Amino acid sequence: RARHRTADSLPAYECWLRGMDCLNRGTLEGDEESRPYFEQALQIDPRYARACSGLSLSHFNEWTCHAWHLWDESQRNAFDYAARAAEFDASDAMVQSVLARVYRFRRQHAQADRHAARALTLNPNDPHVLIQIAIVRLFGGEFEASCELARKAIQLNPLHGDWYQGIVGWDLFMLGEYDRAMACLEEAGETLVNFPAYRAACAALLGDVDRARGEYDVFLREYRQKISFGREPAPGEALRWAVQVEPFRRLEDSRRMPDALREAG
């Protein structure tokens, strides 16, 4: 790809790398810090598709993880930047993977599947692409395929974010491998607000009710800090949020975690 670019446009790629490094921290601050890098890349190359895909991801993270109060604005920005990236370069696998993820969270599942397949056809060995498609496959109900992609992304990118392991753990939970799921979710920490809720569900299904309650308390703490911003949530509010934000194709998949918690009391 470098051979096809002029020398004065190469710094745009470096800006993209710096922006992605910020995004990989998995925090609201990282999302905000990434944008100046992507915007600088677009100043260097106004049609640089990956810069638009990075901006899409920064808003996407706020939409689904870090800024619940900006739902409508973040959803719109995530989609608009992803669509612009595809307009600039539809042959970039990263662009296709981001568009697939946005479509999945918009619950436009057929479009998500189409763009995910295209991304893997274009480049099956880019860890940034693989982890995005792993998420798309997870919510599409393809848990074994998702787990395989996430593990490959971890292997190809030793500097991956801790949340990569969380995706593996999420898949293992959905596959009923609760011990292994717990280990991966522990490694992921609280990089996503709902990871502790899945650890609580794993503990509940393994019969460790005390551990389940402890992990659920962590989930509530993360919800208060990152979603309700200090406000004490109403009973059941945090769990309803977790279910709403997860765009599973099948209703029975979205019920797995809350049902386990309810059964444990």
Side-chain angles (χ1 to χ4, degrees), residues 9-233:
S9 69
L10 286 175
Y13 176 67
E14 295 176 344
C15 290
W16 178 78
L17 289 175
R18 293 290 298 276
M20 291 300 294
D21 188 53
C22 294
L23 289 183
N24 274 333
R25 297 209 302 268
T27 64
L28 179 60
E29 293 77 17
D31 297 337
E32 294 171 346
E33 290 173 21
S34 73
R35 289 179 194 139
Y37 290 112
F38 298 133
E39 290 165 355
Q40 183 179 347
L42 286 172
Q43 290 178 2
I44 297 168
D45 183 350
R47 295 184 62 82
Y48 189 37
R50 285 209 169 189
C52 288
S53 71
L55 285 167
S56 174
L57 281 175
S58 76
H59 290 287
F60 184 93
N61 292 345
E62 289 188 355
W63 170 26
T64 60
C65 307
H66 301 142
W68 187 245
H69 61 297
L70 299 175
W71 173 274
D72 292 333
E73 177 184 345
S74 298
Q75 177 185 195
R76 182 174 59 254
N77 286 331
F79 180 77
D80 288 349
Y81 278 117
R84 190 185 307 175
E87 178 185 341
F88 289 160
D89 187 357
S91 66
D92 189 315
M94 183 67 186
V95 170
Q96 293 294 323
S97 70
V98 172
L99 200 54
R101 189 174 170 188
V102 170
Y103 272 123
R104 181 70 83 210
F105 273 76
R106 286 165 63 98
R107 291 173 169 78
Q108 295 175 262
H109 297 296
Q111 294 95 320
D113 292 341
R114 185 171 65 253
H115 287 286
R118 180 160 173 75
L120 291 178
T121 299
L122 287 166
N123 190 342
N125 294 301
D126 183 327
H128 295 299
V129 170
L130 296 178
I131 197 63
Q132 298 300 327
I133 301 305
I135 295 169
V136 175
R137 293 276 169 86
L138 164 65
F139 290 121
E142 302 173 72
F143 307 122
E144 291 181 356
S146 171
C147 194
E148 182 180 345
L149 289 172
R151 284 173 168 157
K152 186 176 179 182
I154 290 169
Q155 179 184 11
L156 290 172
N157 179 12
L159 300 179
H160 62 83
D162 291 340
W163 63 274
Y164 280 41
Q165 287 287 0
I167 301 303
V168 174
W170 205 334
D171 283 310
L172 291 173
F173 171 84
M174 301 304 292
L175 291 167
E177 300 184 37
Y178 304 121
D179 280 316
R180 296 171 65 202
M182 179 70 89
C184 292
L185 290 164
E186 284 175 341
E187 190 170 342
E190 285 74 61
T191 48
L192 291 185
V193 172
N194 48 1
F195 281 166
Y198 277 87
R199 293 200 299 267
C202 285
L205 290 164
L206 291 168
D208 190 344
V209 177
D210 289 338
R211 173 73 186 273
R213 288 171 177 160
E215 292 289 357
Y216 195 74
D217 286 342
V218 175
F219 168 59
L220 290 176
R221 182 196 71 201
E222 291 295 301
Y223 182 87
R224 283 192 297 269
Q225 179 181 339
K226 298 177 180 177
I227 306 301
S228 66
F229 298 101
R231 177 183 57 79
E232 189 67 27

